[in-house]
């Protein structure tokens, strides 16, 4: 069964450094998403992306965050200057349409030191 | 913002027992989804519900989309050890926004 893949599985970064999290969505999906989950808490929406532009973003997704689909298969989340509170699991998801269920990758654990 | 209230937060049961958990909200949702998350993994889709009143099964799992479109429940019958994990409800809002709103999760622990 096709799946969403994310790399790396764990990223350790110094505070203030830039980090790029990578995702390969399911190949025929058109809608892409990033969510984050702080340890022990619920999953929170960050951003949705369709047709090469952001369709919605949450208040968490401030100017330090950006997303890009640099080619036909990858979808990336960049955090420009990381803060301690950015430490979390970051999940990529994709769906065929905006109404179809979203399928999640196994996440990248981001640890900011 | 929109909130989903999921209960219970945790459950400790014996193998073979049935389990029930639910989510409620003050907002109306187009779609309700139930996911399971195991340690070190992402949420895995269990059941998707698209119509108010819809009752859907997936093996030992049964979920319903409430008539008011503001609530949903998930039942697991005859629990087995591999049912252990955190179960999340999630809703897609009316109005075209594609973001999923998640509940706080129900942590299920099973004593063999």
């Amino acid at each position: 069964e096709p799946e969403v893949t994310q790399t790396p599985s764990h990223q350790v970064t110094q505070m203030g450094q830039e980090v790029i999290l990578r995702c390969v969505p399911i190949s025929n999906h058109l809608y892409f998403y990033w969510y984050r989950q702080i340890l022990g808490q619920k999953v929170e929406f960050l951003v949705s992306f369709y047709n090469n532009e952001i369709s919605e973003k949450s208040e968490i997704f401030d100017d330090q965050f950006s997303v890009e689909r640099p080619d036909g298969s990858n979808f990336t989340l960049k955090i420009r200057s990381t803060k301690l509170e950015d430490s979390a699991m970051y999940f990529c998801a994709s769906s065929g349409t905006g109404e179809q269920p979203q399928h999640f990758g196994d996440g990248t654990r981001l640890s900011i030191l | 913002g929109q909130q989903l209230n999921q209960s219970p937060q945790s459950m400790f049961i014996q193998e073979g027992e049935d389990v029930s958990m639910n989510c409620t909200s003050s907002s109306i949702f187009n779609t309700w989804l139930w996911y399971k998350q195991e340690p070190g993994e992402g949420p895995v889709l269990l059941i998707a519900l698209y119509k108010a009143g819809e009752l859907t099964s997936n093996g030992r799992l049964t979920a319903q989309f409430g008539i008011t479109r503001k609530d949903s429940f998930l039942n697991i019958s005859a629990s087995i050890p591999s049912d252990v994990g955190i179960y999340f409800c999630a809703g897609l809002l009316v109005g075209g926004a594609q973001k999923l709103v998640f509940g706080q999760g129900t942590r299920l622990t099973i004593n063999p």
Side-chain angles (χ1 to χ4, degrees):
Chain A
E1 184 171 321
E3 57 183 27
V4 176
T5 56
Q6 289 185 243
T7 55
S9 56
H10 191 187
Q11 174 79 46
V12 182
T13 301
Q14 291 287 333
M15 187 172 60
Q17 295 295 305
E18 174 183 287
V19 66
I20 297 176
L21 309 182
R22 302 181 191 280
C23 169
V24 179
I26 294 173
S27 63
N28 61 348
H29 283 184
L30 300 176
Y31 289 77
F32 315 116
Y33 315 85
W34 285 99
Y35 292 80
R36 83 170 184 194
Q37 185 180 32
I38 294 171
L39 186 64
Q41 297 187 21
K42 67 179 180 180
V43 179
E44 300 174 287
F45 170 80
L46 292 178
V47 65
S48 59
F49 189 87
Y50 168 72
N51 200 25
N52 277 323
E53 59 183 29
I54 290 174
S55 44
E56 185 160 354
K57 59 184 181 180
S58 71
E59 60 259 20
I60 302 168
F61 194 90
D62 61 22
D63 291 344
Q64 294 300 311
F65 290 85
S66 62
V67 289
E68 192 179 29
R69 186 154 165 82
D71 53 45
S73 59
N74 290 285
F75 180 52
T76 62
L77 174 69
K78 182 195 290 187
I79 309 174
R80 255 179 284 281
S81 178
T82 50
K83 305 186 283 285
L84 292 176
E85 54 265 37
D86 293 328
S87 295
M89 284 289 290
Y90 286 81
F91 292 106
C92 174
S94 69
S95 64
T97 70
E99 289 74 40
Q100 288 179 336
Q102 296 173 24
H103 295 266
F104 286 75
D106 281 340
T108 293
R109 179 175 297 283
L110 179 62
S111 300
I112 307 300
L113 305 178
Chain B
Q2 299 84 14
Q3 294 249 16
L4 288 186
N5 299 309
Q6 185 171 349
S7 64
Q9 285 190 338
S10 59
M11 302 184 74
F12 298 84
I13 63 169
Q14 295 294 123
E15 184 179 350
E17 287 184 20
D18 297 343
V19 170
S20 185
M21 59 193 79
N22 69 86
C23 277
T24 61
S25 176
S26 57
S27 303
I28 293 175
F29 290 92
N30 265 342
T31 301
W32 281 90
L33 305 169
W34 284 92
Y35 289 88
K36 179 187 178 188
Q37 187 179 28
E38 297 187 39
E41 297 182 8
V44 174
L45 181 68
L46 299 174
I47 292 181
L49 302 158
Y50 300 102
K51 287 194 274 194
E54 179 181 355
L55 183 73
T56 296
S57 292
N58 177 8
R60 293 177 296 105
L61 277 60
T62 302
Q64 184 157 32
F65 191 153
I67 289 289
T68 64
R69 297 164 77 187
K70 295 182 180 181
D71 62 300
S72 177
F73 71 74
L74 174 71
N75 288 342
I76 306 172
S77 62
S79 58
I80 59 177
S82 61
D83 291 333
V84 164
I86 303 176
Y87 291 80
F88 289 98
C89 62
L92 262 180
L93 289 164
V94 172
Q98 293 98 34
K99 71 175 186 181
L100 281 178
V101 179
F102 278 80
Q104 303 95 323
T106 296
R107 181 181 296 275
L108 180 62
T109 303
I110 297 175
N111 297 317

